Amino acid sequence: MKEQKTIFSGIKPSGDLTIGNYIGAISQWVEMQERSNCIFSIVDYHAITVKQNPDDLRRRVLDITKIYLAAGINPKRSIIFQQSTVPAHTELAWILNCSGAYMADLKKMTQYKDKAGDKEEAISVGLFGYPVLMAADILLYDTQAVPVGDDQKQHVELTRDIAKRFNNEYGPIFTIPEAVVKKEGARVMSLLEPSKKMAKSDGSANAFIALLDDPELAKKKIMKAVTDSGTDIDYDPENRPALANLLTIYAQLGNRQIPRLVRDYAGKGYGDFKKDLGEVVGKFLTEFQTKFNEISDDDAQAVLEEGRKQAQEITEKKMTQIRQAIGVR
Ligand code: TYM
């Protein structure tokens, strides 16, 4: 039998998932599971690097599990699990904190710099070390490919550096992973500020469309989305980033090609385009949420429990190898 690639990715339960998370990450996963061994996590220990309400956190872990399932991740083919239920992740993060991860590298991380701003003194050590836990997630499974949105590429690069340093010191323990980023849709932008990525943590709810937004509300958000100057529909990310973003969303959620869309909208204006895009997004959300609503909390719990067992087995084997290599066993 041909060897299948091992894929790992995850999402942190720190807010309502957006169509950005779906387009940039989850939609890739669904395709990849057909030809790879896939492991998808809900990374709750990453979420607590910023303050979380405990009840909301618990709820979101279940909701994201259901989102994975509704999107088409098949738990018979792929492992779905909650990060905090598999202790090897934090154990390896500690080991990598000591061997492989350097302060200077962590300080360069764009996500850290954005979050820390100029208030470094009041930033938790956890937020600083966040990419080391992510490296542990990936390296524990001998992962070859990490399908993520564009914003996580830097963290995967750092994971490679950490793994190489560790291997230099202790021998070939870790597989060196690669980030896999989509050609289109790797960075879905805010509907209000097209220079910023669409984020679940955005203060303005009109800036993003959540996967669980009421479809009618989502249509209104599309109508309120900013557009660039000009009236015709063309794809020019440099000069007309807002429109390019809307075209990307249309193509990704409506299963269309951008050049074809541009041709179809020749001679039409923003009004027609946005109305149709609203319909495409509304239809996508309606179908997605129908599947989501068919999955019970109990179903989600059962999937997480099965995933935990499988992840536990893989990671325990790997940890035995790692503990021996560094001399703690
Ligand atoms: P998170 O939870 O911020 O985002 C989850 C995934 O969604 C992608 N994404 C986007 N893609 C396109 N456009 C957007 N606007 C957009 N917003 C988010 C992200 O790139 C990501 O792929 N550190 C990670 C979680 C993580 C992880 C891991 C990922 C922890 N351990 C191991 C891969 C492997 C994060 O915060 O993603």
Side-chain angles (χ1 to χ4, degrees), residues 8-12 20-21 24-25 43 46 111 130 134 137-138 146-152 155 185-189 197-200:
F8 185 98
S9 201
I11 295 186
K12 53 178 194 299
N21 297 122
V43 291
H46 278 102
Q111 192 165 310
Y130 175 115
M134 179 160 163
D137 296 341
I138 295 168
V146 187
V148 282
D150 186 62
D151 63 316
Q152 296 298 318
H155 288 157
R187 198 174 185 84
V188 178
M189 308 311 274
K197 86 167 179 174
M198 181 182 283
K200 49 189 179 268

PDB file of all heavy atoms in Angstrom, residues 8-12 20-21 24-25 43 46 111 130 134 137-138 146-152 155 185-189 197-200, ligand 1:
ATOM      1  N   PHE A   8      -1.441  17.467  10.046  1.00  0.00           N
ATOM      2  CA  PHE A   8      -1.970  17.949  11.339  1.00  0.00           C
ATOM      3  C   PHE A   8      -2.387  19.407  11.177  1.00  0.00           C
ATOM      4  O   PHE A   8      -1.676  20.206  10.559  1.00  0.00           O
ATOM      5  CB  PHE A   8      -0.895  17.859  12.435  1.00  0.00           C
ATOM      6  CG  PHE A   8      -1.426  18.239  13.797  1.00  0.00           C
ATOM      7  CD1 PHE A   8      -1.823  17.259  14.707  1.00  0.00           C
ATOM      8  CD2 PHE A   8      -1.596  19.578  14.167  1.00  0.00           C
ATOM      9  CE1 PHE A   8      -2.346  17.607  15.956  1.00  0.00           C
ATOM     10  CE2 PHE A   8      -2.122  19.932  15.400  1.00  0.00           C
ATOM     11  CZ  PHE A   8      -2.489  18.942  16.301  1.00  0.00           C
ATOM     12  N   SER A   9      -3.540  19.754  11.760  1.00  0.00           N
ATOM     13  CA  SER A   9      -3.887  21.172  11.847  1.00  0.00           C
ATOM     14  C   SER A   9      -4.857  21.385  13.009  1.00  0.00           C
ATOM     15  O   SER A   9      -5.370  20.422  13.588  1.00  0.00           O
ATOM     16  CB  SER A   9      -4.484  21.676  10.531  1.00  0.00           C
ATOM     17  OG  SER A   9      -4.360  23.084  10.465  1.00  0.00           O
ATOM     18  N   GLY A  10      -5.076  22.634  13.351  1.00  0.00           N
ATOM     19  CA  GLY A  10      -5.953  22.911  14.485  1.00  0.00           C
ATOM     20  C   GLY A  10      -6.522  24.323  14.436  1.00  0.00           C
ATOM     21  O   GLY A  10      -6.055  25.175  13.674  1.00  0.00           O
ATOM     22  N   ILE A  11      -7.529  24.515  15.257  1.00  0.00           N
ATOM     23  CA  ILE A  11      -8.160  25.835  15.383  1.00  0.00           C
ATOM     24  C   ILE A  11      -8.338  26.128  16.866  1.00  0.00           C
ATOM     25  O   ILE A  11      -8.703  25.223  17.640  1.00  0.00           O
ATOM     26  CB  ILE A  11      -9.527  25.861  14.665  1.00  0.00           C
ATOM     27  CG1 ILE A  11      -9.319  25.664  13.156  1.00  0.00           C
ATOM     28  CG2 ILE A  11     -10.279  27.162  14.941  1.00  0.00           C
ATOM     29  CD1 ILE A  11     -10.559  25.803  12.307  1.00  0.00           C
ATOM     30  N   LYS A  12      -8.117  27.376  17.255  1.00  0.00           N
ATOM     31  CA  LYS A  12      -8.288  27.658  18.693  1.00  0.00           C
ATOM     32  C   LYS A  12      -9.700  28.180  18.964  1.00  0.00           C
ATOM     33  O   LYS A  12     -10.226  29.000  18.218  1.00  0.00           O
ATOM     34  CB  LYS A  12      -7.213  28.585  19.238  1.00  0.00           C
ATOM     35  CG  LYS A  12      -6.994  29.863  18.552  1.00  0.00           C
ATOM     36  CD  LYS A  12      -5.907  30.663  19.269  1.00  0.00           C
ATOM     37  CE  LYS A  12      -5.914  32.092  18.789  1.00  0.00           C
ATOM     38  NZ  LYS A  12      -5.661  32.292  17.379  1.00  0.00           N
ATOM     39  N   GLY A  20     -13.516  32.850   7.018  1.00  0.00           N
ATOM     40  CA  GLY A  20     -12.061  32.876   6.788  1.00  0.00           C
ATOM     41  C   GLY A  20     -11.433  31.571   7.263  1.00  0.00           C
ATOM     42  O   GLY A  20     -10.624  30.965   6.554  1.00  0.00           O
ATOM     43  N   ASN A  21     -11.800  31.123   8.458  1.00  0.00           N
ATOM     44  CA  ASN A  21     -11.288  29.846   8.966  1.00  0.00           C
ATOM     45  C   ASN A  21     -11.693  28.703   8.030  1.00  0.00           C
ATOM     46  O   ASN A  21     -10.915  27.783   7.776  1.00  0.00           O
ATOM     47  CB  ASN A  21     -11.853  29.524  10.363  1.00  0.00           C
ATOM     48  CG  ASN A  21     -11.431  30.535  11.416  1.00  0.00           C
ATOM     49  OD1 ASN A  21     -12.277  31.158  12.049  1.00  0.00           O
ATOM     50  ND2 ASN A  21     -10.143  30.717  11.605  1.00  0.00           N
ATOM     51  N   GLY A  24      -9.774  29.303   4.442  1.00  0.00           N
ATOM     52  CA  GLY A  24      -8.318  29.172   4.524  1.00  0.00           C
ATOM     53  C   GLY A  24      -7.864  27.812   5.029  1.00  0.00           C
ATOM     54  O   GLY A  24      -6.857  27.279   4.557  1.00  0.00           O
ATOM     55  N   ALA A  25      -8.602  27.255   5.989  1.00  0.00           N
ATOM     56  CA  ALA A  25      -8.124  26.013   6.622  1.00  0.00           C
ATOM     57  C   ALA A  25      -9.062  24.822   6.374  1.00  0.00           C
ATOM     58  O   ALA A  25      -8.709  23.884   5.659  1.00  0.00           O
ATOM     59  CB  ALA A  25      -7.945  26.250   8.128  1.00  0.00           C
ATOM     60  N   VAL A  43      -7.638  23.398  19.690  1.00  0.00           N
ATOM     61  CA  VAL A  43      -6.469  23.667  20.533  1.00  0.00           C
ATOM     62  C   VAL A  43      -6.837  24.630  21.671  1.00  0.00           C
ATOM     63  O   VAL A  43      -6.534  25.817  21.643  1.00  0.00           O
ATOM     64  CB  VAL A  43      -5.268  24.159  19.694  1.00  0.00           C
ATOM     65  CG1 VAL A  43      -4.731  23.021  18.828  1.00  0.00           C
ATOM     66  CG2 VAL A  43      -5.624  25.322  18.796  1.00  0.00           C
ATOM     67  N   HIS A  46      -4.185  26.673  23.471  1.00  0.00           N
ATOM     68  CA  HIS A  46      -3.795  27.907  22.788  1.00  0.00           C
ATOM     69  C   HIS A  46      -4.797  29.029  23.095  1.00  0.00           C
ATOM     70  O   HIS A  46      -4.415  30.187  23.226  1.00  0.00           O
ATOM     71  CB  HIS A  46      -3.718  27.696  21.275  1.00  0.00           C
ATOM     72  CG  HIS A  46      -2.432  27.087  20.828  1.00  0.00           C
ATOM     73  ND1 HIS A  46      -2.306  25.759  20.499  1.00  0.00           N
ATOM     74  CD2 HIS A  46      -1.203  27.626  20.672  1.00  0.00           C
ATOM     75  CE1 HIS A  46      -1.055  25.504  20.156  1.00  0.00           C
ATOM     76  NE2 HIS A  46      -0.365  26.620  20.260  1.00  0.00           N
ATOM     77  N   GLN A 111       2.365  37.490  14.887  1.00  0.00           N
ATOM     78  CA  GLN A 111       1.150  37.397  15.708  1.00  0.00           C
ATOM     79  C   GLN A 111       1.427  37.869  17.136  1.00  0.00           C
ATOM     80  O   GLN A 111       0.618  38.568  17.730  1.00  0.00           O
ATOM     81  CB  GLN A 111       0.650  35.953  15.704  1.00  0.00           C
ATOM     82  CG  GLN A 111      -0.740  35.805  16.278  1.00  0.00           C
ATOM     83  CD  GLN A 111      -1.351  34.434  15.937  1.00  0.00           C
ATOM     84  OE1 GLN A 111      -1.366  33.999  14.795  1.00  0.00           O
ATOM     85  NE2 GLN A 111      -1.830  33.756  16.953  1.00  0.00           N
ATOM     86  N   TYR A 130       3.412  30.654  22.858  1.00  0.00           N
ATOM     87  CA  TYR A 130       2.349  30.052  22.045  1.00  0.00           C
ATOM     88  C   TYR A 130       2.882  29.232  20.860  1.00  0.00           C
ATOM     89  O   TYR A 130       2.475  28.082  20.651  1.00  0.00           O
ATOM     90  CB  TYR A 130       1.468  31.224  21.594  1.00  0.00           C
ATOM     91  CG  TYR A 130       0.344  30.974  20.661  1.00  0.00           C
ATOM     92  CD1 TYR A 130      -0.977  31.177  21.063  1.00  0.00           C
ATOM     93  CD2 TYR A 130       0.560  30.587  19.337  1.00  0.00           C
ATOM     94  CE1 TYR A 130      -2.017  30.988  20.186  1.00  0.00           C
ATOM     95  CE2 TYR A 130      -0.479  30.395  18.460  1.00  0.00           C
ATOM     96  CZ  TYR A 130      -1.763  30.599  18.888  1.00  0.00           C
ATOM     97  OH  TYR A 130      -2.794  30.410  18.024  1.00  0.00           O
ATOM     98  N   MET A 134       2.458  25.148  19.598  1.00  0.00           N
ATOM     99  CA  MET A 134       2.026  24.779  18.235  1.00  0.00           C
ATOM    100  C   MET A 134       3.051  23.841  17.591  1.00  0.00           C
ATOM    101  O   MET A 134       2.683  22.874  16.911  1.00  0.00           O
ATOM    102  CB  MET A 134       1.842  26.055  17.402  1.00  0.00           C
ATOM    103  CG  MET A 134       1.429  25.801  15.985  1.00  0.00           C
ATOM    104  SD  MET A 134       0.691  27.276  15.246  1.00  0.00           S
ATOM    105  CE  MET A 134       0.809  26.834  13.510  1.00  0.00           C
ATOM    106  N   ASP A 137       2.440  20.439  18.979  1.00  0.00           N
ATOM    107  CA  ASP A 137       1.260  19.824  18.337  1.00  0.00           C
ATOM    108  C   ASP A 137       1.672  19.102  17.061  1.00  0.00           C
ATOM    109  O   ASP A 137       1.306  17.955  16.809  1.00  0.00           O
ATOM    110  CB  ASP A 137       0.241  20.894  17.896  1.00  0.00           C
ATOM    111  CG  ASP A 137      -0.370  21.677  19.047  1.00  0.00           C
ATOM    112  OD1 ASP A 137      -0.305  21.192  20.190  1.00  0.00           O
ATOM    113  OD2 ASP A 137      -0.912  22.776  18.779  1.00  0.00           O
ATOM    114  N   ILE A 138       2.430  19.835  16.259  1.00  0.00           N
ATOM    115  CA  ILE A 138       2.770  19.347  14.918  1.00  0.00           C
ATOM    116  C   ILE A 138       3.793  18.202  14.999  1.00  0.00           C
ATOM    117  O   ILE A 138       3.644  17.168  14.353  1.00  0.00           O
ATOM    118  CB  ILE A 138       3.332  20.524  14.078  1.00  0.00           C
ATOM    119  CG1 ILE A 138       2.235  21.586  13.872  1.00  0.00           C
ATOM    120  CG2 ILE A 138       3.902  20.032  12.745  1.00  0.00           C
ATOM    121  CD1 ILE A 138       2.739  22.910  13.310  1.00  0.00           C
ATOM    122  N   VAL A 146       1.099  20.737   7.010  1.00  0.00           N
ATOM    123  CA  VAL A 146       0.239  21.488   7.938  1.00  0.00           C
ATOM    124  C   VAL A 146      -0.613  22.474   7.121  1.00  0.00           C
ATOM    125  O   VAL A 146      -0.136  23.544   6.728  1.00  0.00           O
ATOM    126  CB  VAL A 146       1.098  22.272   8.961  1.00  0.00           C
ATOM    127  CG1 VAL A 146       0.213  22.902  10.030  1.00  0.00           C
ATOM    128  CG2 VAL A 146       2.141  21.365   9.604  1.00  0.00           C
ATOM    129  N   PRO A 147      -1.858  22.113   6.824  1.00  0.00           N
ATOM    130  CA  PRO A 147      -2.704  23.004   6.028  1.00  0.00           C
ATOM    131  C   PRO A 147      -3.262  24.142   6.882  1.00  0.00           C
ATOM    132  O   PRO A 147      -4.049  23.908   7.804  1.00  0.00           O
ATOM    133  CB  PRO A 147      -3.826  22.080   5.528  1.00  0.00           C
ATOM    134  CG  PRO A 147      -3.859  20.932   6.492  1.00  0.00           C
ATOM    135  CD  PRO A 147      -2.518  20.811   7.125  1.00  0.00           C
ATOM    136  N   VAL A 148      -2.843  25.350   6.572  1.00  0.00           N
ATOM    137  CA  VAL A 148      -3.227  26.521   7.370  1.00  0.00           C
ATOM    138  C   VAL A 148      -3.471  27.722   6.448  1.00  0.00           C
ATOM    139  O   VAL A 148      -3.095  27.701   5.277  1.00  0.00           O
ATOM    140  CB  VAL A 148      -2.111  26.931   8.366  1.00  0.00           C
ATOM    141  CG1 VAL A 148      -2.087  26.021   9.581  1.00  0.00           C
ATOM    142  CG2 VAL A 148      -0.745  26.963   7.693  1.00  0.00           C
ATOM    143  N   GLY A 149      -4.043  28.773   7.022  1.00  0.00           N
ATOM    144  CA  GLY A 149      -4.135  30.049   6.327  1.00  0.00           C
ATOM    145  C   GLY A 149      -2.768  30.720   6.346  1.00  0.00           C
ATOM    146  O   GLY A 149      -1.858  30.311   7.082  1.00  0.00           O
ATOM    147  N   ASP A 150      -2.669  31.753   5.546  1.00  0.00           N
ATOM    148  CA  ASP A 150      -1.402  32.465   5.365  1.00  0.00           C
ATOM    149  C   ASP A 150      -0.790  32.967   6.688  1.00  0.00           C
ATOM    150  O   ASP A 150       0.427  32.938   6.877  1.00  0.00           O
ATOM    151  CB  ASP A 150      -1.732  33.643   4.433  1.00  0.00           C
ATOM    152  CG  ASP A 150      -0.526  34.397   4.020  1.00  0.00           C
ATOM    153  OD1 ASP A 150       0.329  33.770   3.376  1.00  0.00           O
ATOM    154  OD2 ASP A 150      -0.429  35.586   4.354  1.00  0.00           O
ATOM    155  N   ASP A 151      -1.633  33.392   7.620  1.00  0.00           N
ATOM    156  CA  ASP A 151      -1.119  33.994   8.861  1.00  0.00           C
ATOM    157  C   ASP A 151      -0.361  32.999   9.741  1.00  0.00           C
ATOM    158  O   ASP A 151       0.377  33.417  10.638  1.00  0.00           O
ATOM    159  CB  ASP A 151      -2.279  34.628   9.665  1.00  0.00           C
ATOM    160  CG  ASP A 151      -3.284  33.583  10.112  1.00  0.00           C
ATOM    161  OD1 ASP A 151      -3.646  32.701   9.303  1.00  0.00           O
ATOM    162  OD2 ASP A 151      -3.716  33.637  11.268  1.00  0.00           O
ATOM    163  N   GLN A 152      -0.546  31.701   9.502  1.00  0.00           N
ATOM    164  CA  GLN A 152       0.132  30.714  10.352  1.00  0.00           C
ATOM    165  C   GLN A 152       1.413  30.168   9.729  1.00  0.00           C
ATOM    166  O   GLN A 152       2.100  29.341  10.334  1.00  0.00           O
ATOM    167  CB  GLN A 152      -0.813  29.550  10.685  1.00  0.00           C
ATOM    168  CG  GLN A 152      -2.017  29.955  11.517  1.00  0.00           C
ATOM    169  CD  GLN A 152      -1.607  30.523  12.878  1.00  0.00           C
ATOM    170  OE1 GLN A 152      -0.706  30.005  13.535  1.00  0.00           O
ATOM    171  NE2 GLN A 152      -2.259  31.598  13.287  1.00  0.00           N
ATOM    172  N   HIS A 155       4.547  30.517  11.835  1.00  0.00           N
ATOM    173  CA  HIS A 155       4.655  29.580  12.959  1.00  0.00           C
ATOM    174  C   HIS A 155       5.129  28.204  12.492  1.00  0.00           C
ATOM    175  O   HIS A 155       5.834  27.504  13.226  1.00  0.00           O
ATOM    176  CB  HIS A 155       3.305  29.452  13.677  1.00  0.00           C
ATOM    177  CG  HIS A 155       2.937  30.670  14.470  1.00  0.00           C
ATOM    178  ND1 HIS A 155       1.638  30.979  14.807  1.00  0.00           N
ATOM    179  CD2 HIS A 155       3.695  31.654  14.983  1.00  0.00           C
ATOM    180  CE1 HIS A 155       1.632  32.102  15.498  1.00  0.00           C
ATOM    181  NE2 HIS A 155       2.860  32.535  15.610  1.00  0.00           N
ATOM    182  N   GLY A 185      -7.616  32.341  -1.305  1.00  0.00           N
ATOM    183  CA  GLY A 185      -8.382  32.191  -0.069  1.00  0.00           C
ATOM    184  C   GLY A 185      -7.520  31.944   1.157  1.00  0.00           C
ATOM    185  O   GLY A 185      -8.038  31.661   2.231  1.00  0.00           O
ATOM    186  N   ALA A 186      -6.195  32.062   1.019  1.00  0.00           N
ATOM    187  CA  ALA A 186      -5.309  31.831   2.169  1.00  0.00           C
ATOM    188  C   ALA A 186      -5.387  32.978   3.165  1.00  0.00           C
ATOM    189  O   ALA A 186      -4.945  32.858   4.306  1.00  0.00           O
ATOM    190  CB  ALA A 186      -3.870  31.651   1.699  1.00  0.00           C
ATOM    191  N   ARG A 187      -5.929  34.105   2.708  1.00  0.00           N
ATOM    192  CA  ARG A 187      -6.045  35.259   3.597  1.00  0.00           C
ATOM    193  C   ARG A 187      -7.324  36.024   3.251  1.00  0.00           C
ATOM    194  O   ARG A 187      -7.317  36.930   2.418  1.00  0.00           O
ATOM    195  CB  ARG A 187      -4.820  36.154   3.403  1.00  0.00           C
ATOM    196  CG  ARG A 187      -4.592  37.117   4.516  1.00  0.00           C
ATOM    197  CD  ARG A 187      -3.269  37.857   4.313  1.00  0.00           C
ATOM    198  NE  ARG A 187      -3.004  38.694   5.453  1.00  0.00           N
ATOM    199  CZ  ARG A 187      -2.436  38.278   6.582  1.00  0.00           C
ATOM    200  NH1 ARG A 187      -2.043  37.048   6.704  1.00  0.00           N
ATOM    201  NH2 ARG A 187      -2.266  39.108   7.584  1.00  0.00           N
ATOM    202  N   VAL A 188      -8.413  35.607   3.861  1.00  0.00           N
ATOM    203  CA  VAL A 188      -9.689  36.304   3.650  1.00  0.00           C
ATOM    204  C   VAL A 188      -9.643  37.568   4.509  1.00  0.00           C
ATOM    205  O   VAL A 188      -9.250  37.516   5.678  1.00  0.00           O
ATOM    206  CB  VAL A 188     -10.880  35.397   4.063  1.00  0.00           C
ATOM    207  CG1 VAL A 188     -12.199  36.127   3.902  1.00  0.00           C
ATOM    208  CG2 VAL A 188     -10.873  34.116   3.232  1.00  0.00           C
ATOM    209  N   MET A 189      -9.998  38.700   3.911  1.00  0.00           N
ATOM    210  CA  MET A 189      -9.822  39.967   4.611  1.00  0.00           C
ATOM    211  C   MET A 189     -11.118  40.446   5.296  1.00  0.00           C
ATOM    212  O   MET A 189     -12.220  39.990   4.961  1.00  0.00           O
ATOM    213  CB  MET A 189      -9.326  41.038   3.626  1.00  0.00           C
ATOM    214  CG  MET A 189      -8.113  40.618   2.821  1.00  0.00           C
ATOM    215  SD  MET A 189      -6.766  39.930   3.814  1.00  0.00           S
ATOM    216  CE  MET A 189      -5.906  41.391   4.282  1.00  0.00           C
ATOM    217  N   LYS A 197      -6.782  41.045   8.138  1.00  0.00           N
ATOM    218  CA  LYS A 197      -7.408  39.742   7.873  1.00  0.00           C
ATOM    219  C   LYS A 197      -8.737  39.630   8.628  1.00  0.00           C
ATOM    220  O   LYS A 197      -8.901  40.248   9.695  1.00  0.00           O
ATOM    221  CB  LYS A 197      -6.449  38.605   8.205  1.00  0.00           C
ATOM    222  CG  LYS A 197      -6.470  38.188   9.617  1.00  0.00           C
ATOM    223  CD  LYS A 197      -5.771  36.883   9.917  1.00  0.00           C
ATOM    224  CE  LYS A 197      -5.920  36.716  11.411  1.00  0.00           C
ATOM    225  NZ  LYS A 197      -5.527  35.584  12.071  1.00  0.00           N
ATOM    226  N   MET A 198      -9.658  38.885   8.070  1.00  0.00           N
ATOM    227  CA  MET A 198     -10.925  38.636   8.763  1.00  0.00           C
ATOM    228  C   MET A 198     -10.614  37.794   9.991  1.00  0.00           C
ATOM    229  O   MET A 198      -9.946  36.758   9.878  1.00  0.00           O
ATOM    230  CB  MET A 198     -11.892  37.891   7.843  1.00  0.00           C
ATOM    231  CG  MET A 198     -13.228  37.631   8.478  1.00  0.00           C
ATOM    232  SD  MET A 198     -14.377  36.698   7.424  1.00  0.00           S
ATOM    233  CE  MET A 198     -14.925  37.936   6.282  1.00  0.00           C
ATOM    234  N   ALA A 199     -11.063  38.257  11.174  1.00  0.00           N
ATOM    235  CA  ALA A 199     -10.692  37.540  12.396  1.00  0.00           C
ATOM    236  C   ALA A 199     -11.903  37.393  13.305  1.00  0.00           C
ATOM    237  O   ALA A 199     -12.739  38.292  13.405  1.00  0.00           O
ATOM    238  CB  ALA A 199      -9.591  38.293  13.126  1.00  0.00           C
ATOM    239  N   LYS A 200     -11.944  36.222  13.978  1.00  0.00           N
ATOM    240  CA  LYS A 200     -13.053  35.972  14.898  1.00  0.00           C
ATOM    241  C   LYS A 200     -13.001  36.906  16.091  1.00  0.00           C
ATOM    242  O   LYS A 200     -13.999  37.097  16.785  1.00  0.00           O
ATOM    243  CB  LYS A 200     -13.072  34.501  15.335  1.00  0.00           C
ATOM    244  CG  LYS A 200     -11.752  33.927  15.822  1.00  0.00           C
ATOM    245  CD  LYS A 200     -11.896  32.412  16.013  1.00  0.00           C
ATOM    246  CE  LYS A 200     -10.659  31.694  16.465  1.00  0.00           C
ATOM    247  NZ  LYS A 200      -9.715  31.118  15.657  1.00  0.00           N
TER     248      LYS A 200
HETATM  249  P1  TYM B   1      -6.606  30.146  14.344  1.00  0.00           P
HETATM  250  O1  TYM B   1      -7.505  29.498  15.323  1.00  0.00           O
HETATM  251  O2  TYM B   1      -6.365  31.614  14.470  1.00  0.00           O
HETATM  252  O3  TYM B   1      -7.139  29.900  12.880  1.00  0.00           O
HETATM  253  C1  TYM B   1      -7.457  28.602  12.436  1.00  0.00           C
HETATM  254  C2  TYM B   1      -7.092  28.431  10.969  1.00  0.00           C
HETATM  255  O4  TYM B   1      -7.824  29.364  10.169  1.00  0.00           O
HETATM  256  C3  TYM B   1      -6.931  30.110   9.363  1.00  0.00           C
HETATM  257  N1  TYM B   1      -7.479  31.474   9.210  1.00  0.00           N
HETATM  258  C4  TYM B   1      -7.680  32.072   8.038  1.00  0.00           C
HETATM  259  N2  TYM B   1      -7.472  31.672   6.770  1.00  0.00           N
HETATM  260  C5  TYM B   1      -7.793  32.543   5.779  1.00  0.00           C
HETATM  261  N3  TYM B   1      -8.296  33.797   6.019  1.00  0.00           N
HETATM  262  C6  TYM B   1      -8.515  34.228   7.269  1.00  0.00           C
HETATM  263  N4  TYM B   1      -9.015  35.438   7.490  1.00  0.00           N
HETATM  264  C7  TYM B   1      -8.201  33.359   8.360  1.00  0.00           C
HETATM  265  N5  TYM B   1      -8.295  33.477   9.713  1.00  0.00           N
HETATM  266  C8  TYM B   1      -7.845  32.304  10.212  1.00  0.00           C
HETATM  267  C9  TYM B   1      -5.628  30.117  10.139  1.00  0.00           C
HETATM  268  O5  TYM B   1      -4.525  30.404   9.320  1.00  0.00           O
HETATM  269  C10 TYM B   1      -5.613  28.723  10.691  1.00  0.00           C
HETATM  270  O6  TYM B   1      -5.133  27.803   9.718  1.00  0.00           O
HETATM  271  N6  TYM B   1      -2.081  28.834  15.953  1.00  0.00           N
HETATM  272  C11 TYM B   1      -3.221  28.387  15.185  1.00  0.00           C
HETATM  273  C12 TYM B   1      -3.850  27.145  15.742  1.00  0.00           C
HETATM  274  C13 TYM B   1      -2.919  25.984  15.895  1.00  0.00           C
HETATM  275  C14 TYM B   1      -2.407  25.171  14.865  1.00  0.00           C
HETATM  276  C15 TYM B   1      -1.607  24.203  15.528  1.00  0.00           C
HETATM  277  C16 TYM B   1      -2.564  25.168  13.487  1.00  0.00           C
HETATM  278  C17 TYM B   1      -2.413  25.523  17.067  1.00  0.00           C
HETATM  279  N7  TYM B   1      -1.640  24.445  16.845  1.00  0.00           N
HETATM  280  C18 TYM B   1      -0.940  23.222  14.784  1.00  0.00           C
HETATM  281  C19 TYM B   1      -1.879  24.195  12.769  1.00  0.00           C
HETATM  282  C20 TYM B   1      -1.084  23.241  13.411  1.00  0.00           C
HETATM  283  C21 TYM B   1      -4.269  29.472  15.217  1.00  0.00           C
HETATM  284  O7  TYM B   1      -4.298  30.309  16.065  1.00  0.00           O
HETATM  285  O8  TYM B   1      -5.218  29.382  14.264  1.00  0.00           O
END
